[in-house]
Amino acid sequence: MSEPPRFEPPISEVAEPFWDATREGRLLLQWCAACARPVWYPREVCPQCLGSTLEWRESPGRGVVYACTVEHKAQTRALAAPYVVALVELDEGVRLLSNVVGSPPERVAVGDRVRITWEPLPDGRRLPLFEPVDRAGA
Amino acid sequence: MSLRGRAAIVGVADAVSPTGELDAHGRALEARVVREALADAGVTLADVDGVCHGQSSVGLAEYLGIHPRFTESTNTGGSSYEIHVEHAAAAIAAGLCEVVIGVYASTPRSDRRHGRSREFQRPPGPNPTVEWELPYGLRMPMGPYALAASRHMAEYGTTSEQLAAIAVSTRAWAALNPRARYRDPITVEDVLASPMQSSPLHLLDCCLVTDGAGAFVMTSAARARALGRPPVYVLGAATCHDHSMISQMPDLTVTPGAVSGGNAFRQAGVKPSDVDVLMGYDSFTITALLHVEDLGFCAKGEGGPFVEDGRTGPGGLLPMNTNGGGLSYTHPGQYGMFLIVEAVRQLRGEAGPRQVRGAEIAVAHGSGMVLSVMSTLVLGTEGALS
């Protein structure tokens, strides 16, 4: 018996470019044209200056684990515990909630370098996840 | 205009049970604690001209058959009830109303047993939480607090043993409270041996799930002095929030309590060392640890060493959560009402075996949502006011 698919996030109107880019494995971030700062999560106006000119730019998807937890009971049947939920701080300075995969859960620690990896969703979009950067190979 | 000493809490009541279940629910339970709080205050329903409720002050007022001229339904999760006291004090001080009731009741435990529907209602999408957080399986409510604990540990070297010490001290208070859900003493080892939930939080780092209800009655300082019970004055009250989703919290080791606490203390004209009893919302051990730091009882990052030797337990220098807290007394989902009820009982000298001798100043510090909304009340006796 296969697990039910992962919860498919809805697509807000403002985030359509973000989700479209995930189909090609590209991570987009909004940047405010007025104050030149990245914005996460996607929105219609900049939370610093209320400027409404927000540009999409591609991110290399590299960052560091800012905080993490190993869930020992799954919140949803789509995930098999134990698994890691982390706040990843991208090098641009914004923090995303995500999963860190590709490592034994208990080995993931605050301060670890991570990079983007993608999990396919049933509708062709991909969900941004992170995996440890292999220090030797990085 | 400062709120200091302008309004007072004159009646309180709460309904809890060592079984964790109550035999009433909904409006009937709310009406029960309102009746008890009014009787405690020595006022009648006809005197009430202001109503606070975390879901619908309008529905409650209709059920009780009253026509309030001050109505308050702010819902910030667990800190709603501290905010209700803050707003009611301001309304009373401004002359908008004179006698205000606040009430909370929730019965998750018996609802589940009796099959009353309490299904998790996913908020309608798209909204930011559903779009950006729900897919990742962060367990609610403990997940965000576990993230905060992991960050505090990494940044300051805080240990699981230190977090456990909070649960141990809180249980020691519960042992003195016959109405507490759990009263058997526990050790740091017991906490660490309890099943891991969201690392680094163990089961005994997490609050209970119980039925519970509570109510307060507030009035002006002048009217309070004419009533039979010792008034508990609002000396200071302040609120702050800085995020809704955990990914948007500016610094996971600093809550907006660092703002609300300082503002409430300044208004009250007191400092942390003046506080006799701290009722600090303990949804999880890490929550209480963050309060101790953010309210200024110790420096940022020093909460672990501060709590580890029983300082917050019976006989300690900072009595914290003397009713047994959300960890061992009761936690029906939004615990903030019980902080207020216990602070008032301590300041009136009615806390029985757990009474903090000579308590004159108490802090009720509510925490709502995911460390999102902090509201701090500094409460004091007539002696503290003069």
Side-chain angles (χ1 to χ4, degrees), chain B:
Chain B
M1 184 189 75
S2 166
L3 286 183
R4 187 176 190 276
R6 303 290 299 272
I9 302 171
V10 291
V12 290
D14 68 350
V16 302
S17 164
T19 67
E21 292 192 24
L22 297 172
D23 59 4
H25 68 280
R27 294 282 185 232
L29 180 55
E30 291 175 346
R32 181 200 292 181
V33 287
V34 165
R35 190 167 56 228
E36 290 174 9
L38 290 171
D40 184 47
V43 299
T44 69
L45 193 60
D47 297 314
V48 174
D49 61 0
V51 173
C52 309
H53 189 274
Q55 303 294 334
S56 170
S57 54
V58 177
L60 175 72
E62 177 184 87
Y63 184 87
L64 297 175
I66 55 180
H67 305 160
R69 55 193 179 122
F70 168 71
T71 193
E72 161 67 351
S73 293
T74 300
N75 185 351
T76 60
S79 56
S80 303
Y81 309 92
E82 283 68 37
I83 293 181
H84 293 173
V85 169
E86 176 191 14
H87 292 179
I92 290 167
L96 302 183
C97 56
E98 197 176 6
V99 177
V100 179
I101 57 170
V103 61
Y104 166 71
S106 179
T107 51
R109 202 171 183 89
S110 55
D111 287 353
R112 193 166 48 195
R113 199 159 64 81
H114 296 297
R116 290 192 291 261
S117 176
R118 277 188 56 88
E119 278 175 34
F120 172 66
Q121 297 288 319
R122 180 172 290 160
N127 71 48
T129 305
V130 175
E131 188 169 12
W132 306 113
E133 292 198 346
L134 204 58
Y136 299 104
L138 185 64
R139 215 175 144 202
M140 295 300 281
M142 58 281 280
Y145 296 85
L147 292 173
S150 81
R151 186 69 200 176
H152 204 279
M153 288 175 162
E155 215 163 305
Y156 298 111
T158 306
T159 65
S160 287
E161 287 78 2
Q162 290 167 336
L163 290 178
I166 293 175
V168 170
S169 292
T170 309
R171 181 63 65 85
W173 282 115
L176 302 174
N177 185 352
R179 300 163 73 231
R181 171 81 173 118
Y182 290 124
R183 302 184 64 200
D184 294 337
I186 53 171
T187 64
V188 166
E189 292 68 33
D190 291 333
V191 179
L192 300 188
S194 66
M196 190 67 92
Q197 303 296 306
S198 301
S199 72
L201 299 179
H202 303 79
L203 184 63
L204 291 177
D205 286 299
C206 303
C207 65
L208 310 169
V209 178
T210 63
D211 296 354
F216 62 76
V217 181
M218 293 177 65
T219 192
S220 63
R223 187 152 174 180
R225 290 189 188 101
L227 294 170
R229 309 289 260 163
V232 170
Y233 295 98
V234 178
L235 303 181
T239 297
C240 185
H241 52 88
D242 63 14
H243 64 282
S244 174
M245 302 197 299
I246 196 64
S247 69
Q248 302 294 304
M249 185 170 179
D251 177 342
L252 261 73
T253 68
V254 182
T255 75
V259 174
S260 69
N263 286 342
F265 280 129
R266 245 188 312 284
Q267 199 173 53
V270 305
K271 37 189 200 307
S273 57
D274 299 324
V275 174
D276 299 305
V277 178
L278 170 60
M279 295 303 298
Y281 200 110
D282 55 339
S283 45
F284 301 91
T285 50
I286 181 65
T287 323
L289 183 113
L290 291 170
H291 299 331
V292 166
E293 294 179 353
D294 290 339
L295 295 176
F297 291 97
C298 65
K300 179 49 63 183
E302 292 175 8
F306 184 86
V307 300
E308 70 185 346
D309 291 322
R311 192 189 304 241
T312 62
L317 285 173
L318 179 63
M320 179 170 79
N321 298 332
T322 54
N323 55 358
L327 294 171
S328 290
Y329 176 60
T330 190
H331 199 301
Q334 296 185 345
Y335 173 71
M337 177 63 79
F338 304 91
L339 304 170
I340 296 163
V341 170
E342 177 68 3
V344 167
R345 288 187 174 139
Q346 286 285 355
L347 294 177
R348 288 171 165 187
E350 295 171 352
R354 64 183 191 279
Q355 178 66 43
V356 174
R357 204 174 282 260
E360 298 235 308
I361 293 175
V363 166
H365 181 67
S367 170
M369 300 171 59
V370 291
L371 295 168
S372 310
V373 191
M374 299 295 164
S375 183
T376 314
L377 301 176
V378 181
L379 305 172
T381 62
E382 191 81 51
L385 187 59
S386 51

Side-chain angles (χ1 to χ4, degrees), chain A residues 66-85:
Chain A
Y66 173 81
C68 61
T69 181
V70 179
E71 297 291 10
H72 287 256
K73 274 182 167 177
Q75 169 84 357
T76 140
R77 284 185 304 133
L79 292 164
Y83 57 91
V84 178
V85 185

